[in-house]
Amino acid sequence: GKASYHFRRHLQDSMREETFSYIHRLLADDRPARELVSSDWTMMNDALARHYGYDGIQGGQLRKVMLRANDSRGGGIMSHAGVQSMLCWMGDNWVIYRGAWAARNILDAPPQLPPLAVPELDAKSEELSKMSPRELMAHHRQDQNCAVCHTRLDPIGFAFQNFDISGRWRNVEYETYAVDELDSRVAWRGKGATRPVDTVGQLPRGEEFRTYAEFKETVASEYLQDTVRGLLKSFMLYATGRKPDIDDMAEIKKIMASHAAEGYPLRKMLLAVFQTKAFLDH
């Protein structure tokens, strides 16, 4: 009881730490920006190793670990359990949250805020509980208020359906998820029939994918500039304390142009932000 509670606490902290330490390592080692999206390594400790199914990693200290070639998640922050487990609702994956997160943080295409009049979906209702995630999203899009965002974001969010609510990889999804009490903590359990995970979707410029691997490959090759631009906007906000304006965007464009041939090394680009007029004058 108590030991497993502490281990879960340790796992939650480790999930957060995985993403922080991964980005820290990318910067420290001046890795190319592509590795934000796709790499052959991650940061792991004992709790994360157990969660991801890796053996022989002892102790709570995070260290760089090469991923198995057959690990379907692969590297990159989109595969982190902490990210995917955060983007859930009512004990199941929530396609729209995951699509919106990727649009904002990876594709530099932030969604607009949902209208205030959006009705809450009652996923437990008799009618909706039997629907697959894709049917549920189609049902939600019947409301014109909802269709605006869902039409763009759902096809991105389906890429992540292989991640369950704890951010672990799965190949099947259950008909319904029921809540169980475990050590006075809530746990969601799959119930009923299973179906293969549905990961068919589309990126904002129309590229189609059938699997998470295809999605990631397309993002890494076709959307790298978008990812880098979004990252430099975040660096600029962090450095100056305000959102980049039109002059800042011109400086970002210049930084990108001068680092494109090297694959956008992250540390060099961050240092370049600290040389910009925006930072020096602020």
Side-chain angles (χ1 to χ4, degrees):
K2 202 166 182 193
S4 68
Y5 170 79
H6 283 307
F7 193 82
R8 272 199 304 279
R9 182 72 263 162
H10 176 39
L11 176 61
Q12 280 178 325
D13 292 342
S14 302
M15 281 178 178
R16 257 195 310 278
E17 206 49 50
E18 179 184 12
T19 305
F20 290 138
S21 63
Y22 185 82
I23 291 171
H24 182 268
R25 190 71 194 250
L26 283 174
L27 287 166
D29 295 352
D30 204 17
R31 300 303 299 162
R34 181 191 167 93
E35 292 194 3
L36 268 170
V37 171
S38 183
S39 72
D40 56 4
W41 61 278
T42 195
M43 304 296 286
M44 241 185 250
N45 63 6
D46 52 358
L48 289 164
R50 188 198 281 190
H51 196 62
Y52 292 139
Y54 280 71
D55 296 326
I57 293 174
Q58 305 296 322
Q61 188 63 36
L62 277 96
R63 82 276 334 232
K64 184 174 179 175
V65 173
M66 300 310 288
L67 295 168
R68 290 190 299 258
N70 67 351
D71 186 335
S72 305
R73 292 174 311 121
I77 62 172
M78 293 190 293
S79 301
H80 289 183
V83 170
Q84 295 305 338
S85 62
M86 169 181 81
L87 302 167
C88 294
W89 180 73
M90 294 291 288
D92 197 5
N93 300 348
W94 200 220
V95 171
I96 186 81
Y97 287 174
R98 288 175 166 182
W101 182 90
R104 180 180 292 110
N105 296 293
I106 303 294
L107 306 172
D108 192 33
Q112 61 195 67
L113 288 168
L116 291 172
V118 170
E120 271 291 312
L121 267 184
D122 179 9
K124 288 206 184 84
S125 81
E126 192 62 33
E127 179 198 4
L128 300 187
S129 65
K130 292 186 169 54
M131 289 184 181
S132 72
R134 195 171 292 275
E135 289 162 347
L136 194 60
M137 294 295 114
H139 170 82
H140 201 44
R141 279 200 297 277
Q142 288 168 4
D143 184 320
Q144 282 311 297
N145 284 325
C146 306
V148 181
C149 286
H150 280 269
T151 306
R152 190 166 69 85
L153 300 176
D154 292 352
I156 303 169
F158 273 99
F160 305 107
Q161 284 290 78
N162 283 112
F163 294 92
D164 70 12
I165 56 172
S166 73
R168 262 196 296 229
W169 189 264
R170 63 179 186 177
N171 291 311
V172 296
E173 55 193 43
Y174 286 88
E175 208 168 54
T176 60
Y177 288 82
V179 67
D180 286 342
E181 286 285 329
L182 185 70
D183 292 346
S184 76
R185 286 167 65 81
V186 169
W188 292 89
R189 306 261 176 249
K191 307 270 184 195
T194 60
R195 54 185 163 238
V197 169
D198 175 2
T199 51
V200 173
Q202 195 176 27
L203 278 148
R205 294 195 283 270
E207 301 92 344
E208 296 184 348
F209 56 84
R210 287 161 309 189
T211 63
Y212 180 61
E214 274 182 24
F215 164 78
K216 237 169 54 158
E217 191 42 54
T218 308
V219 171
S221 58
E222 303 301 317
Y223 286 79
L224 185 60
Q225 287 192 330
D226 305 81
T227 304
V228 172
R229 189 177 57 245
L231 187 69
L232 286 174
K233 280 156 72 172
S234 300
F235 282 169
M236 194 73 98
L237 174 65
Y238 176 72
T240 62
R242 59 175 176 74
K243 278 194 169 163
D245 62 20
I246 199 158
D247 294 333
D248 303 337
M249 290 309 297
E251 297 214 69
I252 283 174
K253 211 170 166 184
K254 216 187 310 178
I255 292 170
M256 286 179 67
S258 62
H259 292 87
E262 297 170 85
Y264 305 114
L266 293 174
R267 183 186 170 91
K268 286 194 187 79
M269 290 195 307
L270 178 58
L271 293 174
V273 168
F274 292 127
Q275 303 301 316
T276 58
K277 197 171 180 315
F279 177 71
L280 297 171
D281 292 353
H282 90 291

